[in-house]
């Protein structure tokens, strides 16, 4: 309940104001001088104070000075009661930070209007403060997230870059120092190790840069009109070449007109999902890429018949560096899906992953057909 404190030495006036306010449903307390008023403020921290100026022991100006200098009470709305002749007094009070004043004799409606408008203003101010606090909080959380990612990127650099670098170093040492003693087969084995490690390092570096660009918001979102069927079929064809028919990659699409998408981001989405589907399914299995238009969305589904994802890992898949236990035999950094998620979010789309261990995984991406670029928002 809203608490109001009335500080007034003239008992009839004080009682009248207290009664009016009680009748309106406020929780009201009346006291007879400034000193008692300050005590009541410290005890009850009222929502509004109505205070006479000329009073024994401690006058209204002193009361106002005291509460405006205390951070806990400085925001409480303060209304002066004053005799009509007290113009200088009123000016002094307003300069000290009073919110309003009522000149004696005042009517019931004058008091109520002043009280209501001050309380309404207080509510608005509190909502604005809360808004600002919420904005600051979310900015803080966002900054904290970015810092967490940076810390992990640095840790990743120092840890995961060491292994492939050590492999490159050891294989190149063997080739250089034992060139005459190793067989051609062994030499190829070491050269392959060097190639594989360099590819892994380049991939990791590319993914980190992509993720850093996405997370920092530096990557411009640039949708353009694109024949998505052609575009994705092209990516599927690239993967067929890399996969060397180890899997049967099926592509089907019912989309036959151009759509607004960001090609760079769509390439990231498709190639990461396709690379996962191939990497996490045994040779000979089918991988299907399906493209349809439904409910004003493009729906891209990449499905495999591979190792699947443990149920308890599903909620963490989009966290940078997360890799499920059953995936650790295959090489990877755990950054792919977080890049996919960011690219999908940039399109104001969504992604879902359904999976069953040893049965397979389906990644479903929805991208709205009419997606706006930031430039479109500028009038
Ligand atoms: P990279 O950064 O090289 O892509 P990654 O493939 O391990 O590494 P993500 O693509 O982010 O990383 O995938 C995260 C994890 O999700 C994988 O490590 C794997 O555990 C699981 N996962 C993703 N797709 C599949 C899939 N099709 N089948 C089984 N597990 C998958
Ligand atoms: Mg991946």
């Amino acid at each position: 309940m809203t608490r109001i404190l009335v500080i007034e030495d003239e008992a009839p006036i004080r009682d009248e104001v207290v009664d009016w306010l009680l009748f309106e449903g406020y929780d009201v307390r009346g006291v007879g001088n400034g000193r008692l008023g300050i005590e009541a403020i410290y005890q009850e921290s009222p929502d509004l104070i109505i205070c006479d100026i000329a009073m024994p022991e401690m006058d209204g100006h002193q009361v106002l000075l005291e509460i405006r200098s205390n951070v806990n009470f400085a925001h409480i709305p303060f209304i002066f009661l004053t005799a009509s002749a007290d113009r200088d007094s009123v000016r002094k009070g307003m300069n000290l930070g009073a919110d309003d004043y009522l000149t004696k004799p005042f009517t019931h409606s004058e008091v109520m209007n002043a009280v209501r408008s001050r309380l309404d203003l207080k509510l608005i101010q509190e909502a604005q403060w809360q808004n600002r606090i919420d904005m600051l909080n979310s900015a803080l959380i966002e900054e904290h997230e970015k810092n967490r990612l940076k810390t992990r990127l640095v840790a990743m650099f120092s840890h995961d870059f060491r292994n492939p670098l050590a492999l490159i170093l050891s294989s190149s040492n063997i080739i250089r120092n034992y060139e005459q003693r190793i067989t051609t087969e062994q030499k190829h084995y070491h050269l392959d190790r060097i190639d594989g490690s360099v590819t892994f390092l380049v991939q990791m570096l590319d993914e980190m840069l992509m993720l850093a660009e996405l997370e920092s918001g530096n990557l411009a979102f640039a949708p353009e009109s694109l024949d998505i069927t052609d575009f994705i079929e092209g990516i599927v064809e690239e993967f067929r070449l890399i996969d060397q028919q180890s899997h049967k990659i099926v592509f089907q699409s019912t989309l036959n007109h151009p759509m607004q998408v960001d090609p760079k981001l769509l390439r990231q989405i498709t190639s990461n999902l396709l690379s996962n589907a191939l990497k996490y399914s045994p040779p000979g299995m089918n991988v299907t890429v399906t493209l349809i238009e439904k409910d004003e969305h493009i729906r891209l589904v990449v499905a495999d018949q591979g190792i699947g994802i443990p149920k308890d890992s599903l909620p963490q898949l989009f966290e940078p560096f997360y890799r499920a236990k059953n995936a650790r035999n295959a090489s990877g950094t755990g950054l792919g899906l977080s890049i996919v998620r960011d690219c999908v979010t940039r399109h104001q789309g969504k992604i879902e992953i359904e999976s069953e261990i040893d049965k397979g995984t389906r990644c479903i991406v929805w991208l709205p057909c009419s997606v706006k670029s930031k430039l479109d928002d500028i009038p």
Side-chain angles (χ1 to χ4, degrees), residues 130-372:
Q130 193 53 48
N131 223 345
R132 260 186 237 166
I133 290 170
D134 290 348
M135 274 163 62
L136 277 174
N137 267 341
S138 46
L140 257 177
I141 291 171
E142 205 178 301
E143 204 45 44
H144 183 74
E145 267 304 304
K146 278 188 192 156
N147 277 340
R148 206 169 64 105
L149 181 72
K150 273 187 213 145
T151 314
R152 294 188 71 176
L153 283 177
V154 172
M156 184 84 178
F157 260 110
S158 44
H159 177 258
D160 286 41
F161 266 51
R162 274 176 206 279
N163 288 342
L165 287 175
L167 279 183
I168 293 171
L169 215 55
S170 92
S171 285
S172 68
N173 274 338
I174 290 170
I175 296 171
R176 186 181 309 111
N177 297 333
Y178 302 98
E179 204 186 349
Q180 310 303 329
R181 280 190 266 162
I182 54 174
T183 62
T184 315
E185 225 170 61
Q186 283 170 323
K187 198 169 161 186
H188 280 150
Y189 167 76
H190 286 291
L191 286 171
D192 284 348
R193 272 209 326 182
I194 293 174
D195 281 357
S197 300
V198 170
T199 311
F200 180 75
L201 284 174
V202 170
Q203 186 205 338
M204 199 187 322
L205 199 60
D206 283 347
E207 286 186 342
M208 280 186 184
L209 289 175
M210 184 74 191
L211 195 63
E213 268 192 296
L214 281 165
E215 305 256 336
S216 65
N218 285 343
L219 194 80
F221 175 55
E224 58 183 69
S225 181
L226 196 77
D227 183 333
I228 302 184
T229 300
D230 256 18
F231 184 77
I232 292 189
E233 196 167 21
I235 299 173
V236 169
E237 203 44 56
E238 286 169 25
F239 273 87
R240 282 194 183 119
L241 289 174
I242 300 167
D243 188 57
Q244 294 182 338
Q245 296 189 329
S246 168
H247 301 84
K248 188 175 171 217
I249 310 178
V250 181
F251 174 66
Q252 42 207 8
S253 169
T254 55
L255 271 184
N256 49 16
H257 55 98
M259 299 267 180
Q260 287 287 323
V261 282
D262 182 321
K264 195 169 169 191
L265 302 187
L266 185 61
R267 169 171 282 278
Q268 286 292 335
I269 296 171
T270 315
S271 52
N272 271 300
L273 296 181
L274 203 43
S275 116
N276 283 349
L278 295 168
K279 187 159 66 171
Y280 301 117
S281 12
M285 294 293 180
N286 284 1
V287 168
T288 36
V289 180
T290 318
L291 198 55
I292 58 165
E293 188 177 345
K294 199 177 173 212
D295 303 331
E296 302 195 3
H297 280 74
I298 303 158
R299 201 175 78 142
L300 169 70
V301 184
V302 179
D304 64 59
Q305 303 168 313
I307 60 171
I309 302 166
K311 275 221 157 23
D312 58 346
S313 292
L314 287 173
Q316 296 153 83
L317 292 181
F318 299 104
E319 283 174 22
F321 307 113
Y322 182 82
R323 307 198 69 213
K325 277 201 190 78
N326 64 339
R328 310 241 164 107
N329 288 335
S331 77
T333 60
L335 288 171
L337 283 182
S338 45
I339 291 173
V340 171
R341 192 226 18 221
D342 281 3
C343 294
V344 170
T345 310
R346 281 296 191 94
H347 279 95
Q348 294 151 30
K350 61 173 185 167
I351 174 162
E352 271 174 18
I353 296 186
E354 300 165 354
S355 189
E356 216 174 310
I357 283 287
D358 293 332
K359 289 246 166 76
T361 301
R362 262 164 63 87
C363 300
I364 308 141
V365 173
W366 281 271
L367 304 179
C369 289
S370 56
V371 64
K372 284 179 99 192

Side-chain angles (χ1 to χ4, degrees), residues 22-42:
L22 280 173
F23 190 75
E24 292 295 325
Y26 296 111
D27 177 4
V28 194
R29 180 165 167 200
V31 295
N33 64 51
R35 189 184 47 76
L36 292 173
I38 291 289
E39 274 175 27
I41 292 166
Y42 274 87

Side-chain angles (χ1 to χ4, degrees), residues 24 26 48 108 111-121:
E24 292 295 325
Y26 296 111
L48 183 136
H108 172 269
V111 172
M112 286 312 146
N113 286 342
V115 166
R116 278 189 206 118
S117 69
R118 285 302 134 194
L119 288 174
D120 286 350
L121 208 66

